Amino acid sequence: MTNPLDKIKPCVRELHAYTLSPDRATLKINQNENPWDVPERLKQETVRRLSERAWSRYPDFVPASLHEKLAAFVGWKPEGVVAGNGSNELIQALLMVTVEAGKRVLIAEPTFMLYRQVTTVLGGETLSVPLNAELQFDVPALKAAIEKQQPDVTILCSPNNPTGCRLDERDLSELLEIAEGIIVVDEAYYEFAGRTVVPLLERHENLAVFRTFSKAKALAALRVGYLLAAPALAREIGKAVLPYNLNLFSQTAAEVAVEMYEEELLPAVRRVVSERERLLEELRRVQGLAPVPSQANFIVVRSSIHPRRVFDELLARDILIRDVSGYPMLADYFRVSVGTPEENDRLLASLREIFEKGMTVK
Ligand SMILES: *Cc1c(COP(=O)(O)O)cnc(C)c1O
């Protein structure tokens, strides 16, 4: 008898699956989702377009009409746009066409776990540059690492999940100049920072930018993301994307979301940003908490009580946060997404109870 698991790559057997706790709560602030659903007008227009189209026919082989709308929206060439079934699919596609045994991917940790996960599954090696003590990008260390090690791919998440720090465009320009490899910037949260590195695409053929509809654009359930790169690079990455990767429903909703962004979605983004600043101020005033300023729609918070216990105490109050204490450097931290004003007030009241009044439920 042979064990079929012996056929699994050793690098995969050693890996822990990327999972999320299955807990549920009425206040869900563990995944950086938009607290406001997409407006009814956007849903209705999507359904109207869908019902006019035969569902018996395949969607576009490549979602060209969405690529064109996205190109106009961001100010880039349609041939340099690839839409995917969530930006995670595109991160995987980029790594699939670049990583094999002997290839190296540089990341700045703590960051989104998926980069290391996919690199490992593909047999590549992950190089890690820690954030600095203020949980900001350590630009001199990144420069030195790129210059000395010349990784095949560098992935920088900006604003970074889970810390909320942002990479300055001039710093990125310098990294792009010295890098012989590809530099990926994951801009999943760029709307909340109000800044983007997209203008650098024109001058740097080794830059790829990833974006998603799951956060500011409030379409997490529909799984849509896109990447922007020089057309030649986009074409290569597109080879690892399956045909018909985007279903018609998601493609249509994404097109409507792009058309209606300013009018229907941007106001909620502005509300999240102003709530983020208020939440930061209020968290600062809670004894035992030290929130880190953020450019995204979440805040990572240093806690005098172990994050796992804070998680349990909040869950007992029907609030679901993210315990990030397993990430490098974040042993004392938890992360909360910015919610509606009412939701943020509820979170703050519970935290005051736990930290200032010492009230425990669990
Ligand atoms: C949420 C998030 C994404 C979005 O992934 P999708 O597959 O588009 O839902 C991408 N990158 C980071 C860092 C994220 O936090």
Side-chain angles (χ1 to χ4, degrees), residues 18 31-32 84-91 111-115 157-162 186-189 210-215 219-220 223-226 298 335:
Y18 179 72
Q31 280 193 289
N32 305 337
N85 183 25
S87 65
N88 290 350
E89 183 197 36
L90 301 169
I91 293 169
T111 192
F112 196 41
M113 297 277 198
L114 197 73
Y115 313 141
C157 184
S158 176
N160 185 45
N161 179 8
D186 186 343
E187 284 197 340
Y189 301 97
F210 287 91
R211 289 186 171 175
T212 182
F213 280 73
S214 300
K215 309 289 163 49
L219 287 182
R223 315 294 307 122
V224 187
Y226 59 104
F298 52 82
R335 191 193 70 196

Side-chain angles (χ1 to χ4, degrees), residues 14-25:
E14 285 167 17
L15 210 57
H16 290 287
Y18 179 72
T19 54
L20 192 64
S21 78
D23 298 302
R24 294 277 176 274

Side-chain angles (χ1 to χ4, degrees), residues 146 152-156 172 175-177 179 181-185 206-209:
I146 290 174
D152 300 283
V153 179
T154 298
I155 308 179
L156 301 169
L172 176 64
L175 298 181
L176 285 161
E177 296 289 344
I182 296 167
I183 298 191
V184 174
V185 178
N206 57 340
L207 172 63
V209 181

